């Protein structure tokens, strides 16, 4: 509406109120001047009151109209913005300038990410792109088997022990799913002067290898405790030990009605004697197959192999064939002694971890050397054992013994 139209409307409103006021005043005089038979005085009072009310309304209305007109004139003279500003706006911070990058002329199409069927496990360390099977759901084997995860935490004298075994992605994600074929046991002598460790890895080609590994690791700790009590730490005998374990595995196979080859497993064992006056501990390690023992100097972030039949990783094709196994060839077991300085650690691992540590191209060994420089909680230790790395699909088991609890 223009200012001229507004003024014409105000002028028309003023004339209407003036005519109304004159009409009311004339009517009031006529009413007062006319003689009434009854209530004359009361009628005169109401008439005069009506004149006063109408007069006041006319004056106030004219003043209000004049005020509104002045406000409209002032607003009309002010410059108006060209755009409409929203009444309410949520502001989270200054908006960054939007730059539209120009796509390169020869950019290859980006590969679509693999859609995992279960939430990514952020608690486990991941190396490179990880393994595709790591993201698949965990499936159960058809028959009753040991748990997919096992873990322990213990202290024996001056030794701090952490142990964990996790079924590998390659065994749990496909049908038919396989049981965890790794097994471990930890124990001690009666006087806690010696810590005892056994780690077994059932062969994937054996249908009941999980039962064979469980039998071997359990019997190893039991028989080693007996040897310590009868012949002492210096008289431990690998040939006798592994021979008796082989007999137990064969007996288990016979009880299940299967051949001994169906329960084939490899095994590595260790007995750690209490540290001497200088804090140095000695460990006896015996093994049969490709499970391995590694030592860690806390001043050097690197696990170094100390025992076990390492695979030839320089070959064009790395073979998983093992030279010895239980219960077939216990006579091939070997042993030797390892020295642990104060703060050093000894790890017994299956090839699910040992192969990754031996791979010089990756940084898995360096990560575990830093992560396990000193004892960690069993939950953190288990998450580390469940690491995600390319082509690492096998079961993985680790038992680490630190000489001195430096947690």
């Amino acid at each position: 509406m223009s200012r001229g139209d507004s003024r014409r409307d105000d002028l028309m409103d003023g004339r209407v109120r003036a005519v109304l006021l004159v009409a009311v005043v004339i009517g009031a005089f006529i009413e007062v001047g006319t003689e009434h038979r009854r209530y004359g005085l009361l009628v005169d009072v109401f008439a005069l009151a009506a004149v006063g009310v109408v007069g006041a309304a006319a004056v106030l209305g004219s003043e209000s109209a004049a005020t509104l007109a002045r406000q409209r004139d002032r607003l009309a003279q002010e410059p108006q913005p060209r755009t409409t500003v929203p009444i309410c706006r949520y502001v989270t911070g200054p908006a960054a300038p939007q730059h539209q990058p120009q796509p390169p002329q020869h950019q290859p199409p980006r590969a679509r990410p693999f859609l995992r069927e279960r939430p990514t496990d952020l608690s486990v360390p991941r190396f490179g792109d990880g393994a595709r099977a790591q993201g698949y759901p965990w499936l159960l084997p058809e028959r009753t088997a040991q748990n997919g995860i096992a873990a322990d935490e213990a202290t024996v004298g001056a030794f701090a022990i952490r142990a964990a075994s996790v079924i590998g992605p390659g065994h749990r994600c496909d049908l038919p799913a396989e049981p965890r074929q790794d097994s471990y046991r930890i124990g001690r002598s009666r006087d806690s002067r010696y810590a005892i460790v056994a780690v077994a890895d059932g062969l994937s080609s054996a249908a009941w290898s999980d039962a064979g590994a469980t039998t071997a690791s359990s019997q190893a700790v039991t028989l080693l405790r007996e040897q310590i009590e009868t012949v002492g730490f210096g008289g431990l005998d690998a040939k006798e030990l592994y021979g008796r374990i082989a007999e137990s595995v064969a007996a288990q196979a016979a009880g299940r009605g299967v051949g001994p080859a169906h329960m084939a497993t490899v095994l590595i064992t260790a007995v750690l004697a209490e540290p001497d006056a200088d804090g140095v501990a000695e460990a006896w390690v015996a093994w049969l197959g490709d499970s391995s023992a590694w030592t860690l100097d806390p001043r050097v972030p690197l696990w170094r192999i100390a025992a076990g039949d390492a695979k030839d990783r320089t070959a064009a094709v790395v073979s998983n064939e093992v030279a010895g196994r239980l219960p077939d060839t216990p006579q091939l077991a070997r042993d030797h002694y390892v020295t642990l300085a104060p703060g050093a650690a000894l790890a017994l691992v299956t090839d699910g971890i040992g192969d990754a540590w031996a791979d010089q191209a990756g940084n898995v060994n360096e990560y575990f050397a830093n992560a396990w420089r000193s004892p960690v909680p069993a939950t953190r230790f288990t998450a580390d054992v469940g690491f995600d790395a390319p082509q690492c699909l096998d079961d993985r088991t680790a038992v680490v013994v630190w000489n001195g609890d430096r947690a």
Side-chain angles (χ1 to χ4, degrees):
M1 179 184 295
S2 64
R3 285 195 294 171
D5 295 338
S6 175
R7 289 177 179 177
R8 284 195 296 270
D9 291 342
D10 295 340
L11 182 60
M12 292 297 296
D13 293 340
R15 291 175 180 178
V16 171
R17 283 192 292 271
V19 172
L20 180 61
L21 178 60
V22 171
V24 172
V25 170
I26 294 174
F29 276 108
I30 294 175
E31 183 67 26
V32 173
T34 305
E35 183 180 356
H36 297 276
R37 297 178 181 179
R38 300 178 63 182
Y39 309 111
L41 181 60
L42 184 61
V43 172
D44 295 342
V45 171
F46 276 112
L48 294 175
V51 172
V53 170
V54 173
V59 173
L60 293 176
S62 300
E63 182 63 24
S64 299
T67 301
L68 291 175
R70 288 194 298 271
Q71 292 178 350
R72 283 195 294 266
D73 292 343
R74 184 171 62 255
L75 292 175
Q77 295 175 0
E78 295 179 355
Q80 299 297 324
R82 296 182 180 181
T83 58
T84 302
V85 179
I87 297 177
C88 180
R89 179 177 58 183
Y90 292 99
V91 179
T92 58
Q98 300 294 327
H99 298 286
Q100 299 296 334
Q102 297 297 328
Q105 298 295 328
H106 303 287
Q107 182 179 8
R110 178 177 296 180
R112 298 181 60 184
F114 171 70
L115 180 62
R116 294 174 179 260
E117 298 186 29
R118 60 187 289 269
T120 301
D121 192 350
L122 301 179
S123 66
V124 305
R126 187 179 187 186
F127 302 93
D129 294 331
R132 189 173 188 179
Q134 186 83 7
Y136 289 146
W138 288 34
L139 304 178
L140 293 176
E142 295 179 354
R143 60 180 172 86
T144 303
Q146 60 180 341
N147 297 335
I149 299 177
D152 279 290
E153 178 174 334
T155 299
V156 178
F159 300 118
I161 304 175
R162 303 292 184 268
S165 182
V166 178
I167 185 172
H171 288 172
R172 69 194 184 212
C173 70
D174 197 9
L175 289 175
E178 299 177 2
R180 178 169 54 89
Q181 298 168 346
D182 285 1
S183 177
Y184 74 85
R185 290 290 187 275
I186 56 177
R188 62 176 178 86
S189 61
R190 294 181 185 274
D191 56 7
S192 294
R193 294 181 56 195
Y194 301 95
I196 307 171
V197 178
V199 173
D201 183 0
L203 274 62
S204 298
S205 58
W208 292 87
S209 63
D210 57 313
T214 302
T215 302
S217 61
S218 179
Q219 280 295 103
V221 172
T222 300
L223 295 175
L224 280 171
R225 185 183 294 112
E226 292 180 2
Q227 283 196 6
I228 292 172
E229 294 177 353
T230 56
V231 300
F233 181 71
L236 296 175
D237 189 334
K239 297 292 193 295
E240 180 186 355
L241 173 67
Y242 279 68
R244 294 182 62 182
I245 296 173
E247 293 174 358
S248 298
V249 174
Q252 283 287 332
R256 296 176 181 270
V258 299
H262 290 287
M263 298 185 66
T265 183
V266 300
L267 177 68
I268 187 167
T269 55
V271 177
L272 294 91
E274 63 180 353
D276 59 19
D278 297 325
V280 178
E282 192 173 20
W284 175 84
V285 181
W287 69 95
L288 179 65
D290 59 357
S291 292
S292 52
W294 302 69
T295 57
L296 175 66
D297 185 333
R299 298 167 299 181
V300 182
L302 182 68
W303 284 98
R304 300 183 184 277
I305 189 166
D309 296 331
K311 298 184 178 74
D312 182 11
R313 305 193 67 87
T314 61
V317 178
V318 178
S319 174
N320 289 323
E321 186 71 21
V322 294
R325 69 189 70 182
L326 294 172
D328 300 332
T329 57
Q331 69 279 4
L332 298 179
R334 294 185 290 167
D335 67 317
H336 73 89
Y337 289 88
V338 176
T339 301
L340 296 178
L346 173 69
L348 270 58
V349 301
T350 58
D351 61 348
I353 292 180
D355 287 354
W357 285 6
D359 187 1
Q360 301 298 327
N363 60 341
V364 181
N365 188 313
E366 180 182 358
Y367 168 84
F368 280 92
N370 286 285
W372 293 352
R373 183 172 299 180
S374 59
V376 297
T379 50
R380 177 69 258 174
F381 189 86
T382 305
D384 285 339
V385 171
F387 69 94
D388 183 10
Q391 300 179 355
C392 292
L393 305 179
D394 199 5
D395 298 345
R396 57 284 301 268
T397 300
V399 180
V400 179
V401 184
W402 286 268
N403 179 19
D405 188 347
R406 304 189 306 112

PDB file of all heavy atoms in Angstrom, residues 22 24 38 67-68 75 83 123 138 143 165 167 199-201 218 231 261 263 268 274-275 339-340 344 366 380:
ATOM      1  N   VAL A  22     -21.355  13.935  15.614  1.00  0.00           N
ATOM      2  CA  VAL A  22     -22.402  14.942  15.452  1.00  0.00           C
ATOM      3  C   VAL A  22     -23.774  14.319  15.607  1.00  0.00           C
ATOM      4  O   VAL A  22     -24.680  14.870  16.270  1.00  0.00           O
ATOM      5  CB  VAL A  22     -22.272  15.643  14.091  1.00  0.00           C
ATOM      6  CG1 VAL A  22     -23.490  16.547  13.822  1.00  0.00           C
ATOM      7  CG2 VAL A  22     -21.000  16.465  14.053  1.00  0.00           C
ATOM      8  N   VAL A  24     -24.597  11.634  17.269  1.00  0.00           N
ATOM      9  CA  VAL A  24     -24.854  11.256  18.670  1.00  0.00           C
ATOM     10  C   VAL A  24     -25.166  12.488  19.518  1.00  0.00           C
ATOM     11  O   VAL A  24     -26.049  12.476  20.375  1.00  0.00           O
ATOM     12  CB  VAL A  24     -23.651  10.479  19.236  1.00  0.00           C
ATOM     13  CG1 VAL A  24     -23.791  10.253  20.732  1.00  0.00           C
ATOM     14  CG2 VAL A  24     -23.482   9.146  18.529  1.00  0.00           C
ATOM     15  N   ARG A  38     -41.758   9.469  32.802  1.00  0.00           N
ATOM     16  CA  ARG A  38     -41.139   8.746  33.924  1.00  0.00           C
ATOM     17  C   ARG A  38     -39.633   8.660  33.706  1.00  0.00           C
ATOM     18  O   ARG A  38     -39.159   8.573  32.573  1.00  0.00           O
ATOM     19  CB  ARG A  38     -41.728   7.334  34.052  1.00  0.00           C
ATOM     20  CG  ARG A  38     -43.235   7.325  34.311  1.00  0.00           C
ATOM     21  CD  ARG A  38     -43.729   5.893  34.366  1.00  0.00           C
ATOM     22  NE  ARG A  38     -43.104   5.185  35.502  1.00  0.00           N
ATOM     23  CZ  ARG A  38     -43.324   3.890  35.768  1.00  0.00           C
ATOM     24  NH1 ARG A  38     -44.097   3.159  34.999  1.00  0.00           N
ATOM     25  NH2 ARG A  38     -42.727   3.355  36.828  1.00  0.00           N
ATOM     26  N   THR A  67      -0.778   8.129  14.936  1.00  0.00           N
ATOM     27  CA  THR A  67       0.477   7.472  15.331  1.00  0.00           C
ATOM     28  C   THR A  67       0.861   6.366  14.355  1.00  0.00           C
ATOM     29  O   THR A  67       2.017   6.239  13.942  1.00  0.00           O
ATOM     30  CB  THR A  67       0.333   6.895  16.740  1.00  0.00           C
ATOM     31  OG1 THR A  67       0.004   7.965  17.650  1.00  0.00           O
ATOM     32  CG2 THR A  67       1.627   6.226  17.190  1.00  0.00           C
ATOM     33  N   LEU A  68      -0.110   5.519  13.999  1.00  0.00           N
ATOM     34  CA  LEU A  68       0.161   4.442  13.035  1.00  0.00           C
ATOM     35  C   LEU A  68       0.600   5.004  11.692  1.00  0.00           C
ATOM     36  O   LEU A  68       1.483   4.440  11.027  1.00  0.00           O
ATOM     37  CB  LEU A  68      -1.094   3.582  12.871  1.00  0.00           C
ATOM     38  CG  LEU A  68      -1.484   2.736  14.097  1.00  0.00           C
ATOM     39  CD1 LEU A  68      -2.806   2.026  13.837  1.00  0.00           C
ATOM     40  CD2 LEU A  68      -0.387   1.736  14.402  1.00  0.00           C
ATOM     41  N   LEU A  75       8.812   3.828   8.450  1.00  0.00           N
ATOM     42  CA  LEU A  75       9.264   2.552   7.904  1.00  0.00           C
ATOM     43  C   LEU A  75       9.403   2.596   6.399  1.00  0.00           C
ATOM     44  O   LEU A  75      10.295   1.963   5.819  1.00  0.00           O
ATOM     45  CB  LEU A  75       8.294   1.437   8.307  1.00  0.00           C
ATOM     46  CG  LEU A  75       8.267   1.086   9.798  1.00  0.00           C
ATOM     47  CD1 LEU A  75       7.175   0.051  10.075  1.00  0.00           C
ATOM     48  CD2 LEU A  75       9.633   0.558  10.238  1.00  0.00           C
ATOM     49  N   THR A  83      16.713  -9.517   0.772  1.00  0.00           N
ATOM     50  CA  THR A  83      16.402 -10.924   1.027  1.00  0.00           C
ATOM     51  C   THR A  83      15.664 -11.049   2.335  1.00  0.00           C
ATOM     52  O   THR A  83      15.763 -10.200   3.228  1.00  0.00           O
ATOM     53  CB  THR A  83      17.684 -11.757   1.091  1.00  0.00           C
ATOM     54  OG1 THR A  83      18.527 -11.230   2.116  1.00  0.00           O
ATOM     55  CG2 THR A  83      18.430 -11.731  -0.233  1.00  0.00           C
ATOM     56  N   SER A 123      37.910 -53.396  18.775  1.00  0.00           N
ATOM     57  CA  SER A 123      38.791 -53.675  19.905  1.00  0.00           C
ATOM     58  C   SER A 123      40.036 -54.444  19.493  1.00  0.00           C
ATOM     59  O   SER A 123      41.000 -54.504  20.253  1.00  0.00           O
ATOM     60  CB  SER A 123      38.034 -54.481  20.969  1.00  0.00           C
ATOM     61  OG  SER A 123      37.691 -55.774  20.485  1.00  0.00           O
ATOM     62  N   TRP A 138      30.139 -65.390  12.993  1.00  0.00           N
ATOM     63  CA  TRP A 138      30.715 -66.601  13.557  1.00  0.00           C
ATOM     64  C   TRP A 138      29.672 -67.713  13.493  1.00  0.00           C
ATOM     65  O   TRP A 138      28.538 -67.540  13.961  1.00  0.00           O
ATOM     66  CB  TRP A 138      31.133 -66.372  15.006  1.00  0.00           C
ATOM     67  CG  TRP A 138      32.342 -65.504  15.174  1.00  0.00           C
ATOM     68  CD1 TRP A 138      32.698 -64.445  14.391  1.00  0.00           C
ATOM     69  CD2 TRP A 138      33.333 -65.624  16.190  1.00  0.00           C
ATOM     70  NE1 TRP A 138      33.865 -63.894  14.864  1.00  0.00           N
ATOM     71  CE2 TRP A 138      34.274 -64.591  15.960  1.00  0.00           C
ATOM     72  CE3 TRP A 138      33.526 -66.481  17.256  1.00  0.00           C
ATOM     73  CZ2 TRP A 138      35.386 -64.405  16.783  1.00  0.00           C
ATOM     74  CZ3 TRP A 138      34.629 -66.293  18.069  1.00  0.00           C
ATOM     75  CH2 TRP A 138      35.547 -65.270  17.827  1.00  0.00           C
ATOM     76  N   ARG A 143      29.069 -80.554  15.508  1.00  0.00           N
ATOM     77  CA  ARG A 143      29.195 -81.332  16.743  1.00  0.00           C
ATOM     78  C   ARG A 143      29.631 -80.439  17.900  1.00  0.00           C
ATOM     79  O   ARG A 143      30.136 -79.334  17.707  1.00  0.00           O
ATOM     80  CB  ARG A 143      30.206 -82.462  16.558  1.00  0.00           C
ATOM     81  CG  ARG A 143      31.622 -82.020  16.186  1.00  0.00           C
ATOM     82  CD  ARG A 143      32.531 -83.221  16.042  1.00  0.00           C
ATOM     83  NE  ARG A 143      33.847 -82.881  15.520  1.00  0.00           N
ATOM     84  CZ  ARG A 143      34.854 -82.478  16.272  1.00  0.00           C
ATOM     85  NH1 ARG A 143      34.698 -82.330  17.586  1.00  0.00           N
ATOM     86  NH2 ARG A 143      36.031 -82.198  15.722  1.00  0.00           N
ATOM     87  N   SER A 165      43.395 -68.042  23.394  1.00  0.00           N
ATOM     88  CA  SER A 165      43.253 -68.816  22.162  1.00  0.00           C
ATOM     89  C   SER A 165      41.953 -68.398  21.495  1.00  0.00           C
ATOM     90  O   SER A 165      40.903 -68.378  22.140  1.00  0.00           O
ATOM     91  CB  SER A 165      43.242 -70.319  22.470  1.00  0.00           C
ATOM     92  OG  SER A 165      43.146 -71.086  21.288  1.00  0.00           O
ATOM     93  N   ILE A 167      39.561 -68.790  17.867  1.00  0.00           N
ATOM     94  CA  ILE A 167      39.348 -69.504  16.611  1.00  0.00           C
ATOM     95  C   ILE A 167      39.593 -68.564  15.441  1.00  0.00           C
ATOM     96  O   ILE A 167      39.206 -67.388  15.471  1.00  0.00           O
ATOM     97  CB  ILE A 167      37.928 -70.103  16.568  1.00  0.00           C
ATOM     98  CG1 ILE A 167      37.747 -70.966  15.315  1.00  0.00           C
ATOM     99  CG2 ILE A 167      36.872 -69.017  16.632  1.00  0.00           C
ATOM    100  CD1 ILE A 167      36.440 -71.733  15.299  1.00  0.00           C
ATOM    101  N   VAL A 199      51.224 -75.710  24.615  1.00  0.00           N
ATOM    102  CA  VAL A 199      50.405 -75.173  23.527  1.00  0.00           C
ATOM    103  C   VAL A 199      50.384 -76.195  22.406  1.00  0.00           C
ATOM    104  O   VAL A 199      51.439 -76.623  21.923  1.00  0.00           O
ATOM    105  CB  VAL A 199      50.963 -73.828  23.013  1.00  0.00           C
ATOM    106  CG1 VAL A 199      50.190 -73.377  21.775  1.00  0.00           C
ATOM    107  CG2 VAL A 199      50.886 -72.770  24.105  1.00  0.00           C
ATOM    108  N   ALA A 200      49.173 -76.597  21.987  1.00  0.00           N
ATOM    109  CA  ALA A 200      49.008 -77.603  20.934  1.00  0.00           C
ATOM    110  C   ALA A 200      48.202 -77.019  19.787  1.00  0.00           C
ATOM    111  O   ALA A 200      47.312 -76.175  19.994  1.00  0.00           O
ATOM    112  CB  ALA A 200      48.316 -78.852  21.481  1.00  0.00           C
ATOM    113  N   ASP A 201      48.496 -77.503  18.590  1.00  0.00           N
ATOM    114  CA  ASP A 201      47.821 -77.043  17.373  1.00  0.00           C
ATOM    115  C   ASP A 201      47.414 -78.267  16.566  1.00  0.00           C
ATOM    116  O   ASP A 201      48.255 -78.944  15.972  1.00  0.00           O
ATOM    117  CB  ASP A 201      48.750 -76.134  16.566  1.00  0.00           C
ATOM    118  CG  ASP A 201      48.076 -75.571  15.326  1.00  0.00           C
ATOM    119  OD1 ASP A 201      46.889 -75.889  15.084  1.00  0.00           O
ATOM    120  OD2 ASP A 201      48.735 -74.818  14.595  1.00  0.00           O
ATOM    121  N   SER A 218      46.739 -80.981  27.801  1.00  0.00           N
ATOM    122  CA  SER A 218      46.392 -81.339  29.171  1.00  0.00           C
ATOM    123  C   SER A 218      47.361 -82.357  29.751  1.00  0.00           C
ATOM    124  O   SER A 218      47.848 -82.212  30.889  1.00  0.00           O
ATOM    125  CB  SER A 218      44.959 -81.863  29.217  1.00  0.00           C
ATOM    126  OG  SER A 218      44.595 -82.246  30.525  1.00  0.00           O
ATOM    127  N   VAL A 231      62.360 -86.277  38.848  1.00  0.00           N
ATOM    128  CA  VAL A 231      63.739 -86.135  38.368  1.00  0.00           C
ATOM    129  C   VAL A 231      64.256 -84.713  38.475  1.00  0.00           C
ATOM    130  O   VAL A 231      65.443 -84.471  38.241  1.00  0.00           O
ATOM    131  CB  VAL A 231      63.849 -86.623  36.907  1.00  0.00           C
ATOM    132  CG1 VAL A 231      63.459 -88.089  36.806  1.00  0.00           C
ATOM    133  CG2 VAL A 231      62.979 -85.775  35.973  1.00  0.00           C
ATOM    134  N   ALA A 261      45.559 -91.110  13.252  1.00  0.00           N
ATOM    135  CA  ALA A 261      45.812 -89.975  12.358  1.00  0.00           C
ATOM    136  C   ALA A 261      44.686 -88.941  12.406  1.00  0.00           C
ATOM    137  O   ALA A 261      44.896 -87.768  12.055  1.00  0.00           O
ATOM    138  CB  ALA A 261      45.999 -90.473  10.926  1.00  0.00           C
ATOM    139  N   MET A 263      43.440 -87.657  14.981  1.00  0.00           N
ATOM    140  CA  MET A 263      43.639 -86.768  16.128  1.00  0.00           C
ATOM    141  C   MET A 263      45.032 -86.151  16.097  1.00  0.00           C
ATOM    142  O   MET A 263      45.593 -85.786  17.128  1.00  0.00           O
ATOM    143  CB  MET A 263      43.417 -87.521  17.442  1.00  0.00           C
ATOM    144  CG  MET A 263      42.004 -88.060  17.600  1.00  0.00           C
ATOM    145  SD  MET A 263      41.690 -88.811  19.209  1.00  0.00           S
ATOM    146  CE  MET A 263      41.822 -87.391  20.287  1.00  0.00           C
ATOM    147  N   ILE A 268      54.093 -77.791  21.705  1.00  0.00           N
ATOM    148  CA  ILE A 268      55.280 -77.151  22.257  1.00  0.00           C
ATOM    149  C   ILE A 268      55.037 -76.947  23.745  1.00  0.00           C
ATOM    150  O   ILE A 268      53.921 -76.609  24.168  1.00  0.00           O
ATOM    151  CB  ILE A 268      55.608 -75.813  21.549  1.00  0.00           C
ATOM    152  CG1 ILE A 268      56.941 -75.265  22.048  1.00  0.00           C
ATOM    153  CG2 ILE A 268      54.491 -74.804  21.718  1.00  0.00           C
ATOM    154  CD1 ILE A 268      57.488 -74.120  21.198  1.00  0.00           C
ATOM    155  N   GLU A 274      62.217 -70.715  38.826  1.00  0.00           N
ATOM    156  CA  GLU A 274      62.227 -69.428  39.512  1.00  0.00           C
ATOM    157  C   GLU A 274      63.563 -68.704  39.277  1.00  0.00           C
ATOM    158  O   GLU A 274      64.615 -69.337  39.136  1.00  0.00           O
ATOM    159  CB  GLU A 274      62.009 -69.639  41.004  1.00  0.00           C
ATOM    160  CG  GLU A 274      63.079 -70.434  41.692  1.00  0.00           C
ATOM    161  CD  GLU A 274      62.809 -70.609  43.175  1.00  0.00           C
ATOM    162  OE1 GLU A 274      61.846 -69.986  43.659  1.00  0.00           O
ATOM    163  OE2 GLU A 274      63.554 -71.335  43.839  1.00  0.00           O
ATOM    164  N   PRO A 275      63.548 -67.371  39.203  1.00  0.00           N
ATOM    165  CA  PRO A 275      64.780 -66.615  38.938  1.00  0.00           C
ATOM    166  C   PRO A 275      65.815 -66.810  40.043  1.00  0.00           C
ATOM    167  O   PRO A 275      65.485 -67.082  41.206  1.00  0.00           O
ATOM    168  CB  PRO A 275      64.296 -65.169  38.872  1.00  0.00           C
ATOM    169  CG  PRO A 275      62.825 -65.249  38.622  1.00  0.00           C
ATOM    170  CD  PRO A 275      62.363 -66.498  39.286  1.00  0.00           C
ATOM    171  N   THR A 339      67.410 -68.631  28.333  1.00  0.00           N
ATOM    172  CA  THR A 339      67.653 -67.752  29.484  1.00  0.00           C
ATOM    173  C   THR A 339      66.846 -66.472  29.339  1.00  0.00           C
ATOM    174  O   THR A 339      66.820 -65.856  28.263  1.00  0.00           O
ATOM    175  CB  THR A 339      69.148 -67.414  29.607  1.00  0.00           C
ATOM    176  OG1 THR A 339      69.891 -68.625  29.769  1.00  0.00           O
ATOM    177  CG2 THR A 339      69.403 -66.511  30.792  1.00  0.00           C
ATOM    178  N   LEU A 340      66.203 -66.059  30.438  1.00  0.00           N
ATOM    179  CA  LEU A 340      65.386 -64.843  30.439  1.00  0.00           C
ATOM    180  C   LEU A 340      65.948 -63.863  31.456  1.00  0.00           C
ATOM    181  O   LEU A 340      65.998 -64.157  32.663  1.00  0.00           O
ATOM    182  CB  LEU A 340      63.928 -65.166  30.781  1.00  0.00           C
ATOM    183  CG  LEU A 340      63.154 -66.055  29.806  1.00  0.00           C
ATOM    184  CD1 LEU A 340      61.743 -66.306  30.333  1.00  0.00           C
ATOM    185  CD2 LEU A 340      63.090 -65.435  28.424  1.00  0.00           C
ATOM    186  N   ALA A 344      62.357 -59.765  30.819  1.00  0.00           N
ATOM    187  CA  ALA A 344      62.192 -60.404  29.511  1.00  0.00           C
ATOM    188  C   ALA A 344      60.965 -61.311  29.526  1.00  0.00           C
ATOM    189  O   ALA A 344      60.422 -61.648  30.585  1.00  0.00           O
ATOM    190  CB  ALA A 344      63.436 -61.193  29.141  1.00  0.00           C
ATOM    191  N   GLU A 366      56.359 -56.041  15.314  1.00  0.00           N
ATOM    192  CA  GLU A 366      56.674 -54.794  16.026  1.00  0.00           C
ATOM    193  C   GLU A 366      55.518 -54.367  16.923  1.00  0.00           C
ATOM    194  O   GLU A 366      55.725 -53.913  18.059  1.00  0.00           O
ATOM    195  CB  GLU A 366      56.991 -53.695  15.017  1.00  0.00           C
ATOM    196  CG  GLU A 366      57.340 -52.353  15.652  1.00  0.00           C
ATOM    197  CD  GLU A 366      57.588 -51.292  14.603  1.00  0.00           C
ATOM    198  OE1 GLU A 366      57.530 -51.609  13.401  1.00  0.00           O
ATOM    199  OE2 GLU A 366      57.840 -50.135  15.000  1.00  0.00           O
ATOM    200  N   ARG A 380      42.587 -57.383  27.271  1.00  0.00           N
ATOM    201  CA  ARG A 380      43.379 -56.733  26.216  1.00  0.00           C
ATOM    202  C   ARG A 380      44.240 -57.746  25.481  1.00  0.00           C
ATOM    203  O   ARG A 380      44.388 -57.689  24.260  1.00  0.00           O
ATOM    204  CB  ARG A 380      44.266 -55.667  26.861  1.00  0.00           C
ATOM    205  CG  ARG A 380      45.202 -54.932  25.918  1.00  0.00           C
ATOM    206  CD  ARG A 380      44.439 -54.039  24.987  1.00  0.00           C
ATOM    207  NE  ARG A 380      44.301 -54.606  23.661  1.00  0.00           N
ATOM    208  CZ  ARG A 380      43.575 -54.078  22.699  1.00  0.00           C
ATOM    209  NH1 ARG A 380      42.896 -52.982  22.912  1.00  0.00           N
ATOM    210  NH2 ARG A 380      43.512 -54.643  21.518  1.00  0.00           N
TER     211      ARG A 380
END
